[in-house]
Amino acid sequence: DVIGMSGLLVKSTVIMKENLEELNQRKMAADFPVILGGAALTRAYVEQDLHEIYEGEVRYARDAFEGLRLMDALIAVKRGVPGATLPELKQRRVPTNATAAVLEADETEGPVRSDVAVDNPVPKPPFFGTRVIKGIQLKEYASWLDEGALFKGQWGLKQARAGDGPTYEELVETEGRPRLRGWLDELQTKNLLEAAVVYGYFPCVSKGDDLILLNEDGSERTRFSFPRQRRGRRLCLADFFRPEESGETDVVGLQVVTVGSRIGEATAELFESNSYRDYLELHGLSVQLAEALAEYWHARVRGELGFAGEDPSAMEDMFALRYRGARFSLGYGACPNLEDRAKIAALLEPERIGVELSEEFQLHPEQSTDAIVIHHPEAKYFNAR
């Protein structure tokens, strides 16, 4: 009835365009509306740029639950249900000529370094190399589960627009937390979680836009090349490490975490049995549990590097990332080159915790994440595009 596609990476924007053009060529647009979503896509890009390309209907879905609502609307329109309509297309806000001129004037070519400080203290790690930690219990990282991200982002809990239903807070108490407790009990009863971490510390320096990891003798071991902002502060991940010409050596952390393959197998079984609501809930929970484990271990790294005392006391502030440093996962704006996962895999050997890297540079099991952990006090998330 409907074709759905998800774009998670920057290059997905180009792929989506090519896919829609191919559907046009196959004369499929009249029969198949398309729903698009994913981290690399925006509503304006889908419903303006891609809508102009595709000869049929194209709509953006923020998450799976909005996708289900769109499915209902699309099918109702297809069947000619009286009063059935699709949501209006998103209109893009176009910058004024003055704003565009400022942006164009501010863009600069070349390797101009940002104003990130280079005199911050470099912490001493407890070891160089890698370590494997297995058998991590749910109670150790459960407090790092972001309920807001789970209930709103993954499970789609939200107050009705008309305001004539329960509030979000009421939905959390009557639906969210009871369902969450039930799922967590089931995960433990059925032993579906296999939380494990492989992580390590490596000496390093920066050179231009590159982060260079070093061997014990100071020779180059491997390097990561990162994009630099073309305007504003001109940030680049390499700037958060000591420049090579300083004569000092810095330290970078790398980590891969996983909650194992059993929970993924359980979600697949739900999908195959057409239990879509349970599938979406368990899949969303598995994603957030992997994220909780990653945050928990990032906190462990801050402790080992000696500045966990700077962490805020409230968990809400933790979720708002008000701690020192940052954890950058590959594929996103500041480090979009997914191929660099192969370098992390070569250094950490994540197969020791059951995580494999596919030919498309995807981690398997899906409920796994990798990250470059940066200690610099100024390190915060940014987009280099």
Side-chain angles (χ1 to χ4, degrees):
D1 296 303
V2 177
I3 295 174
M5 292 182 282
S6 177
L8 299 177
L9 309 176
V10 175
K11 61 184 178 182
S12 299
T13 57
V14 177
I15 295 172
M16 292 297 182
K17 181 178 177 181
E18 294 173 349
N19 287 344
L20 294 177
E21 289 173 342
E22 182 175 349
L23 291 174
N24 285 337
Q25 294 171 5
R26 295 189 180 192
K27 308 297 183 184
M28 297 173 66
D31 297 318
F32 293 100
V34 172
I35 298 176
L36 302 177
L41 303 178
T42 65
R43 191 177 300 274
Y45 177 73
V46 170
E47 299 189 354
Q48 291 300 303
D49 299 342
L50 297 184
H51 189 271
E52 292 177 2
I53 293 171
Y54 192 50
E55 296 170 3
E57 287 290 350
V58 175
R59 287 296 188 278
Y60 173 85
R62 180 178 60 87
D63 53 33
F65 295 93
E66 184 177 1
L68 290 174
R69 290 192 292 271
L70 279 170
M71 282 285 291
D72 290 338
L74 287 164
I75 296 305
V77 170
K78 251 187 173 184
R79 293 174 177 171
V81 175
T85 60
L86 295 176
E88 293 184 5
L89 295 169
K90 172 78 172 180
Q91 298 298 316
R92 177 184 283 111
R93 282 184 278 179
V94 180
T96 63
N97 291 336
T99 303
V102 170
L103 291 176
E104 184 176 353
D106 197 30
E107 291 191 355
T108 309
E109 297 292 344
V112 179
R113 185 184 173 93
S114 70
D115 59 357
V116 170
V118 294
D119 59 353
N120 60 294
V122 176
K124 183 178 180 180
F127 64 92
F128 284 112
T130 67
R131 288 182 180 174
V132 171
I133 311 295
K134 296 182 178 180
I136 303 171
Q137 299 301 304
L138 176 61
K139 63 182 179 181
E140 297 183 53
Y141 59 95
S143 62
W144 288 90
L145 181 65
D146 187 341
E147 287 189 351
L150 176 65
F151 296 151
K152 294 179 182 178
Q154 300 288 348
W155 289 4
L157 287 186
K158 62 180 180 180
Q159 185 175 3
R161 288 187 178 181
D164 55 358
T167 64
Y168 169 72
E169 290 73 17
E170 290 171 338
L171 288 171
V172 167
E173 293 301 325
T174 59
E175 295 185 31
R177 290 201 178 108
R179 294 286 290 171
L180 175 58
R181 286 193 294 268
W183 279 120
L184 293 178
D185 288 344
E186 183 170 343
L187 291 177
Q188 291 189 288
T189 300
K190 295 183 178 179
N191 196 27
L192 295 179
L193 294 172
E194 307 163 279
V197 175
V198 57
Y199 77 116
Y201 301 101
F202 302 86
C204 64
V205 293
S206 65
K207 184 175 183 180
D209 297 346
D210 294 351
L211 172 64
I212 305 171
L213 275 62
L214 306 173
N215 291 305
E216 291 184 7
D217 62 3
S219 60
E220 180 175 332
R221 185 171 184 176
T222 191
R223 73 169 60 200
F224 297 87
S225 296
F226 301 115
R228 181 176 296 279
Q229 291 178 324
R230 296 182 62 189
R231 55 178 180 264
R233 292 186 66 190
R234 295 187 54 77
L235 291 171
C236 174
L237 285 191
D239 296 350
F240 296 116
F241 299 93
R242 284 292 195 277
E244 185 179 46
E245 59 268 23
S246 71
E248 297 180 84
T249 300
D250 214 315
V251 59
V252 62
L254 300 176
Q255 68 178 46
V256 173
V257 311
T258 184
V259 291
S261 59
R262 294 176 192 159
I263 193 169
E265 293 166 359
T267 58
E269 290 175 3
L270 290 171
F271 186 86
E272 291 298 324
S273 65
N274 298 328
S275 302
Y276 295 124
R277 181 75 192 192
D278 286 346
Y279 161 76
L280 290 172
E281 285 191 358
L282 184 55
H283 182 270
L285 176 58
S286 71
V287 170
Q288 290 304 135
L289 283 173
E291 185 66 18
L293 179 60
E295 283 288 7
Y296 164 71
W297 206 260
H298 185 191
R300 170 78 171 263
V301 168
R302 293 195 298 275
E304 291 186 347
L305 292 179
F307 51 86
E310 300 178 30
D311 284 356
S313 56
M315 189 57 71
E316 291 79 8
D317 291 330
M318 290 288 197
F319 293 146
L321 309 179
R322 296 191 178 102
Y323 48 70
R324 174 176 161 181
R327 173 175 57 88
F328 291 86
S329 292
L330 295 174
Y332 291 92
C335 43
N337 295 327
L338 213 59
E339 292 83 356
D340 283 344
R341 274 188 167 155
K343 299 176 183 178
I344 293 180
L347 292 165
L348 294 184
E349 300 176 344
E351 59 272 12
R352 292 182 288 173
I353 59 170
V355 177
E356 303 286 343
L357 190 63
S358 73
E359 293 181 357
E360 295 79 23
F361 303 103
Q362 299 294 324
L363 296 176
H364 296 284
E366 177 188 356
Q367 292 77 7
S368 308
T369 69
D370 55 10
I372 299 170
V373 182
I374 300 178
H375 66 79
H376 198 292
E378 295 181 47
K380 299 298 177 186
Y381 297 116
F382 65 92
N383 198 329
R385 286 185 289 167

